[in-house]
């Protein structure tokens, strides 16, 4: 706007733009409009994963319930959040960065925050203090491991040479490099803290077996292997025993399927040193488990454990070697490795003859299920069918039997009794059943080379790491394997497909 004069009255009107030199042109107004539009678009993008009724957390006001975006009296868009006692908070769209979707640990839903009180600020301050305290403890523990003297395992013995040469397969370049890294760490007087990162089925277990064997036969130490599931514990136990059957090494198992007498005998053997290697689940972290002469701790599928589980493991074994295995390490573990606080070996060479898994996504269709299973059975293979709901798993078994009357279907899930589940798994491993209908008990480490098709029902209910692990259950024998992800048809083109 420009000023003007009134000569008759000897007056001059000067605009603020002329005084301060600030002119708003149509171009700047258009630019401002574009910026506003972009800001709204960013806010909408940040909120696209939040639906009406979802719990959200406002950084300043606490936990509330998302009630959508509405316009105020002046036409400006606001985010409405419901709090306790019917209170509603209106948040300008520009402040959407202060909001995030509530991500709990499962179980009971949290109470909504009461506005106008100090409860949220106290809870936030307490959480921030706990995080800082825990971070300090992690750094202190890591620093102690870097400075405390550890046990230097002796160089390879003749037994180690014989054991390695009895391996029926040729090591890949990645496996050989990882094994050499682990041996070098073990022979150092600094406690090992190494991550072995490798794709599913790339041979991480063989690295762990050799490390445990070196600890036991080289310096007479004990080894402990922590795994996330009972099924994987059983499988590792059998694999370790088979690989070391020619040597006087006592290998025991600790999980919920062991009898009270077996558990007592194993714990006693660990304390007096008569048990050389123990493989188990979270039971290994119990206060009644102690070791006479532990030399190495191995954590398999480390992404399946919480931070506190793994750090409890390290607190129990502060100055011993720790070896961690994972195909999909959690960001914290990967970050510590990349920044140099932990060592990392990567196995990036597939086993000889390994073919990429053919992965496809479909809306639920019984014709596709029938065709996929029929194709696998015709070439003499077996099929995993994953349905992660115990309540309805028997209905799915009946449906599969109706679809494929000539195929035998066995069911396995984590709520079954030990003997019953063992019979099911043995039946499938021995090739006496065509289809294993199971929950996610098959996710970690289970190795059945003849099973080369996996069908995952309601794949939208799994995270990417879970699907990656599940897909890795097939394609372990070198032939073409298939992973078929089934989604409800109404989700086929939405976020679940992404």
């Amino acid at each position: 706007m420009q000023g003007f004069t009134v000569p008759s009255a000897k007056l001059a009107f000067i605009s603020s733009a002329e005084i301060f030199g600030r002119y708003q042109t149509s171009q700047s107004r258009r630019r401002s409009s574009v910026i506003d539009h972009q800001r709204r678009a960013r806010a909408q993008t940040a909120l696209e994963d939040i639906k009406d009724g979802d719990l959200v957390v406002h950084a300043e006001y606490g936990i509330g319930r998302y009630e959508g975006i509405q316009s105020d009296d002046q036409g400006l868009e606001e985010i409405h959040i419901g709090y306790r006692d019917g209170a509603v908070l209106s948040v300008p769209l520009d402040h959407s960065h202060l909001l995030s979707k509530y991500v709990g640990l499962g179980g009971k839903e949290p109470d909504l925050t009461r506005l106008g009180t100090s409860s949220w600020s106290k809870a936030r301050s307490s959480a921030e203090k706990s995080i800082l305290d825990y971070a300090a403890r992690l750094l202190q523990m890591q620093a102690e491991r870097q400075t405390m003297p550890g046990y230097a395992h002796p160089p390879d013995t003749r037994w180690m040479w014989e054991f390695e040469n009895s391996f029926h397969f040729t090591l890949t370049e990645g496996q050989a490099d990882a094994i050499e890294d682990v041996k070098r760490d073990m022979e150092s007087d600094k406690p090992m803290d190494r991550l072995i990162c490798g794709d599913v089925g790339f041979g991480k277990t063989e690295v762990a077996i050799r490390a445990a064997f070196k600890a036991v036969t080289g310096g007479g130490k004990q080894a402990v292997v922590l795994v996330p599931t009972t099924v994987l514990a059983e499988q590792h136990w059998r694999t370790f025993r088979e690989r070391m059957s020619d040597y006087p090494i006592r290998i025991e198992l600790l999980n919920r399927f062991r009898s009270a007498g077996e558990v007592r005998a194993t714990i006693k053997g660990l304390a007096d040193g008569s048990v050389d290697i123990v493989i188990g689940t979270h039971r290994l972290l119990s206060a009644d488990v102690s070791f006479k002469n532990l030399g190495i701790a191995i954590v398999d599928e480390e992404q399946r454990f919480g931070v506190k589980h793994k750090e409890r493991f390290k607190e129990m074994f502060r100055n011993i070697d720790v070896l961690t295995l994972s195909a999909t390490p959690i960001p914290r573990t990967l970050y510590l490795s990349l920044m140099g606080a932990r060592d990392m070996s990567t196995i990036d060479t597939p086993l000889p003859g390994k073919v990429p898994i053919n992965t496809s996504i479909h809306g639920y269709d019984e014709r596709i299920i029938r065709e996929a299973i029929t194709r696998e059975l015709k070439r003499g293979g077996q099929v995993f069918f994953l349905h992660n709901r115990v309540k309805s798993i028997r209905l799915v078994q009946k449906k599969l039997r109706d679809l494929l009357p000539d195929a035998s279907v066995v069911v396995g899930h984590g709520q079954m009794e030990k003997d019953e589940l063992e019979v099911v798994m043995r039946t499938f491993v021995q090739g006496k059943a065509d289809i294993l209908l199971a929950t996610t008990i098959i996710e970690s480490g289970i190795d059945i080379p003849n099973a080369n098709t996996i069908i995952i029902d309601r794949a939208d209910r799994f995270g990417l790491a879970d699907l990656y692990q599940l897909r890795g259950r097939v394609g372990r024998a070198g032939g073409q394997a298939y992973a078929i992800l089934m989604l409800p048809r109404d989700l086929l083109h939405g976020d679940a497909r992404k």
Side-chain angles (χ1 to χ4, degrees):
M1 177 184 292
Q2 295 181 341
F4 58 94
T5 60
V6 182
S8 60
K10 299 182 178 180
L11 289 175
F13 292 88
I14 305 172
S15 70
S16 62
E18 291 174 305
I19 296 173
F20 297 109
R22 296 173 184 166
Y23 293 86
Q24 184 177 26
T25 63
S26 59
Q27 182 178 359
S28 64
R29 284 195 297 270
R30 284 197 300 273
R31 183 171 178 273
S32 175
S33 175
V34 169
I35 291 173
D36 288 343
H37 175 74
Q38 290 173 340
R39 188 180 292 122
R40 283 195 298 272
R42 282 197 300 271
Q44 292 283 9
T45 301
L47 297 171
E48 66 180 5
D49 292 331
I50 303 175
K51 306 291 186 293
D52 287 358
D54 285 350
L55 291 177
V56 293
V57 181
H58 190 288
E60 302 297 334
Y61 296 100
I63 301 173
R65 198 172 296 281
Y66 181 72
E67 296 181 355
I69 298 175
Q70 301 175 24
S71 298
D72 64 8
D73 297 338
Q74 298 177 354
L76 299 175
E77 291 180 311
E78 297 176 325
I79 304 161
H80 283 204
I81 307 170
Y83 285 87
R84 198 189 297 186
D85 301 330
V88 177
L89 178 70
S90 298
V91 180
L93 207 59
D94 289 352
H95 292 182
S96 66
H97 62 279
L98 297 174
L99 285 178
S100 61
K101 190 172 182 178
Y102 174 80
V103 181
L105 298 177
K108 184 182 176 184
E109 188 174 279
D111 293 329
L112 301 183
T113 303
R114 180 181 282 114
L115 294 181
T117 67
S118 61
S119 60
W120 173 248
S121 60
K122 288 179 179 178
R124 181 175 167 179
S125 297
S126 175
E128 288 173 350
K129 184 177 182 299
S130 297
I131 290 169
L132 290 173
D133 289 346
Y134 193 67
R137 196 159 81 248
L138 289 181
L139 289 173
Q140 180 184 357
M141 193 185 308
Q142 203 70 27
E144 286 178 1
R145 286 184 58 82
Q146 295 284 344
T147 57
M148 289 173 64
Y151 174 75
H153 298 263
D156 287 355
T157 61
R158 180 172 179 80
W159 271 10
M160 189 73 200
W161 181 85
E162 291 175 350
F163 181 72
E164 291 184 330
N165 281 278
S166 68
F167 189 47
H168 297 311
F169 306 96
T170 302
L171 291 177
T172 65
E173 183 180 347
Q175 280 180 302
D177 290 344
I179 290 168
E180 286 306 311
D181 289 342
V182 170
K183 285 183 179 180
R184 185 172 56 252
D185 287 352
M186 291 179 70
E187 292 172 13
S188 164
D189 60 1
K190 171 186 157 187
M192 174 173 69
D193 194 359
R194 181 168 292 276
L195 167 68
I196 304 294
C197 185
D199 205 347
V200 177
F202 274 35
K204 298 185 295 295
T205 303
E206 180 62 23
V207 180
I209 289 174
R210 296 192 185 195
F213 187 87
K214 181 178 178 68
V216 172
T217 61
K221 295 287 186 176
Q222 295 169 296
V224 55
V225 184
L226 178 67
V227 299
T229 66
T230 54
V231 172
L232 180 55
E234 292 261 357
Q235 180 158 315
H236 273 350
W237 180 57
R238 296 180 194 282
T239 302
F240 273 63
R241 289 181 67 181
E242 181 182 339
R243 285 280 282 117
M244 302 182 190
S245 59
D246 293 335
Y247 300 88
I249 297 175
R250 182 180 170 191
I251 305 170
E252 294 295 346
L253 175 67
L254 263 188
N255 64 17
R256 71 181 182 88
F257 286 162
R258 307 300 276 175
S259 68
E262 290 171 326
V263 170
R264 281 195 300 271
T266 299
I267 291 175
K268 181 176 180 295
L270 292 172
D272 64 25
S274 59
V275 172
D276 299 302
I277 300 175
V278 63
I279 300 166
T281 55
H282 301 76
R283 181 68 177 85
L284 287 169
L285 303 177
S286 302
D288 61 341
V289 177
S290 62
F291 298 83
K292 182 181 180 181
N293 193 20
L294 188 64
I296 187 169
I298 299 167
V299 185
D300 195 9
E301 305 289 353
E302 67 92 29
Q303 77 281 356
R304 298 289 303 279
F305 293 97
V307 173
K308 290 190 176 181
H309 282 136
K310 286 177 288 193
E311 300 314 326
R312 158 72 177 152
F313 205 56
K314 287 184 184 176
E315 285 176 4
M316 290 172 67
F317 318 124
R318 280 181 179 266
N319 64 335
I320 63 134
D321 294 333
V322 174
L323 181 64
T324 303
L325 314 177
S326 180
T328 52
I330 60 173
R332 185 181 68 88
T333 298
L334 195 57
Y335 175 70
L336 287 173
S337 299
L338 293 174
M339 69 179 284
R342 301 180 68 175
D343 296 313
M344 180 169 69
S345 298
T346 303
I347 303 178
D348 53 8
T349 45
L351 300 177
K354 190 174 179 65
V355 179
I357 299 167
N358 184 314
T359 306
S360 56
I361 302 171
H362 303 275
Y364 184 85
D365 191 327
E366 291 181 353
R367 291 171 300 177
I368 293 173
I369 293 173
R370 185 192 296 113
E371 289 171 7
I373 295 176
T374 301
R375 176 185 60 209
E376 186 60 55
L377 298 186
K378 278 185 177 179
R379 62 175 183 169
Q382 294 167 282
V383 177
F384 292 119
F385 192 103
L386 191 131
H387 177 81
N388 205 31
R389 290 289 184 274
V390 173
K391 287 183 179 179
S392 54
I393 201 165
R394 294 293 174 182
L395 295 174
V396 177
Q397 182 186 26
K398 182 180 182 302
K399 189 176 293 185
L400 288 174
R401 284 175 171 167
D402 291 341
L403 279 174
L404 301 137
D406 295 331
S408 57
V409 185
V410 292
V411 175
H413 57 77
Q415 295 179 19
M416 297 171 73
E417 293 296 325
K418 169 196 172 183
D419 294 340
E420 187 182 3
L421 182 57
E422 196 170 302
V423 168
V424 167
M425 297 306 294
R426 189 182 302 120
T427 299
F428 192 68
V429 168
Q430 293 175 351
K432 296 178 181 178
D434 299 313
I435 304 168
L436 173 60
L437 171 59
T439 57
T440 49
I441 61 167
I442 67 168
E443 178 176 349
S444 296
I446 187 169
D447 188 0
I448 302 176
N450 197 44
N452 279 304
T453 292
I454 183 168
I455 301 171
I456 302 174
D457 189 21
R458 288 308 301 264
D460 55 295
R461 290 176 171 167
F462 298 91
L464 283 178
D466 294 324
L467 292 173
Y468 197 75
Q469 290 288 335
L470 288 166
R471 188 183 68 158
R473 296 313 102 213
V474 296
R476 304 178 78 88
Q480 179 63 64
Y482 298 88
I484 298 169
L485 313 183
M486 288 288 181
L487 302 177
R489 290 193 169 279
D490 58 334
L491 295 179
L492 193 57
H493 303 291
D495 292 338
R497 183 181 177 89
K498 294 180 188 176

